[in-house]
């Protein structure tokens, strides 16, 4: 059984990961479409920026978020002055950090799904007079839906395990910004906290394994669909 502090960290992590995926998914689909379908100069730079959080140390990403979205940052300062809203040292900041760290995995999964769609199917719909939005909603989206789900699951798993960027951006405040990885770290710093850390580590493993298995099942479904279409 999880104690009150452990349960709070777990519920907060689930909340942060869910919000992170829900908020970033529309942007992930749009960016994946841009990278897969557009033929514009400079797309390599967009692709590099999207994947930058995977390359940079998470602490650096968290520091950049703090500089940008903190109260004295250009974006964070504007949000605070206009709406009295701030990301720094709030659970919403943890969700932002988790979304940024999981975004590359989401975009890559969706992009691969889009590239597997035969453009001739979209072209056929266009010849029938369908608008781009209608083509996407009725042709492209149903075909890439498994990839979208897989990308969302991978981003969710990454969000559940995010530590470096989160603790740098929003600190480790119990009940407010202390997610599962932060709680494990905190328990390991105090005498007698090993059992709590072990329980939370086990929960993390179960969640991560569940996400990987779900993603693998969906990936096989996509492969089967593509194989059936090609055959």
């Amino acid at each position: 059984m999880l104690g009150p502090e452990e349960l709070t960290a777990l519920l907060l992590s689930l909340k942060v990961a869910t919000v992170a995926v829900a908020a970033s998914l529309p942007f992930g689909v749009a960016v994946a479409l841009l990278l897969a379908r557009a033929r514009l100069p400079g797309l390599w730079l967009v692709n590099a920026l999207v994947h930058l959080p995977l390359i940079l140390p998470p602490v650096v990403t968290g520091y950049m978020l703090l500089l940008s979205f903190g109260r004295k940052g250009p974006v964070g300062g504007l949000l605070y002055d206009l709406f009295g809203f701030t990301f720094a040292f709030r659970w919403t900041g943890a969700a932002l950090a988790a979304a940024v760290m999981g975004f590359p995995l989401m975009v890559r999964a969706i992009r691969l799904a889009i590239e597997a769609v035969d453009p001739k199917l979209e072209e056929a719909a266009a010849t029938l007079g369908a608008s781009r939005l209608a083509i996407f909603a009725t042709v492209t989206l149903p075909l890439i839906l498994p990839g979208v789900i897989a990308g969302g699951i991978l981003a969710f798993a990454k969000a559940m395990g995010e530590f470096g960027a989160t603790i740098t951006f929003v600190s480790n405040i119990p009940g407010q910004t202390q997610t599962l990885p932060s709680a494990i770290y905190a328990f390991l710093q105090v005498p007698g906290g090993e059992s709590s850390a072990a329980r939370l580590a086990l929960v993390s493993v179960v969640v991560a394994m569940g996400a990987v298995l779900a993603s693998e099942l969906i990936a096989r479904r996509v492969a089967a669909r593509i194989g059936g279409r090609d055959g």
Side-chain angles (χ1 to χ4, degrees):
M1 290 290 293
L2 297 178
E5 191 173 352
E6 300 162 24
L7 184 59
T8 298
L10 173 59
L11 293 177
L12 181 60
S13 287
L14 292 171
K15 179 181 179 181
V16 164
T18 301
V19 171
V21 172
S24 61
L25 193 57
F27 298 99
V29 173
V31 172
L33 274 170
L34 178 69
L35 294 176
R37 289 285 191 259
R39 296 294 180 266
L40 300 173
L43 276 183
W44 65 270
L45 181 58
V46 176
N47 188 54
L49 289 174
V50 167
H51 289 87
L52 199 59
L54 288 180
I55 303 169
L56 289 175
V59 173
V60 175
T61 302
Y63 181 60
M64 292 173 66
L65 286 173
L66 186 60
L67 292 178
S68 301
F69 291 91
R71 283 195 184 184
K72 296 182 180 179
V75 180
L78 184 63
L79 288 174
Y80 187 75
D81 292 339
L82 294 178
F83 307 107
F85 177 81
T86 182
F87 281 103
F89 308 110
R90 303 279 181 87
W91 76 267
T92 49
L96 175 61
V100 169
M101 295 301 295
F103 196 70
L105 299 175
M106 176 189 292
V107 170
R108 180 167 179 78
I110 300 173
R111 179 183 178 180
L112 290 174
I114 294 172
E115 291 175 344
V117 174
D118 189 346
K120 293 181 180 179
L121 297 174
E122 298 168 327
E123 293 170 2
T127 60
L128 295 175
S131 65
R132 289 189 177 182
L133 183 59
I135 293 171
F136 175 76
T138 60
V139 179
T140 310
L141 185 58
L143 292 173
I144 69 170
L145 188 58
V148 173
I149 296 173
I153 291 174
L154 289 174
F156 182 87
K158 178 64 176 176
M160 286 291 294
E162 171 50 36
F163 174 71
T166 301
I167 200 170
T168 304
F169 185 33
V170 298
S171 190
N172 187 10
I173 307 171
Q176 296 185 43
T177 65
Q178 189 177 78
T179 57
L180 213 57
S182 301
I184 293 173
Y185 175 79
F187 280 126
L188 289 175
Q189 305 307 305
V190 298
E194 292 83 1
S195 59
S196 294
R199 284 193 294 269
L200 290 181
L202 180 60
V203 171
S204 299
V205 170
V206 171
V207 172
M209 286 297 297
V212 170
L213 289 175
S215 179
E216 181 64 23
L217 288 173
I218 293 172
R220 289 184 180 182
R221 180 181 174 185
V222 173
R225 172 180 291 183
I226 294 173
R229 188 191 69 204
D230 292 341

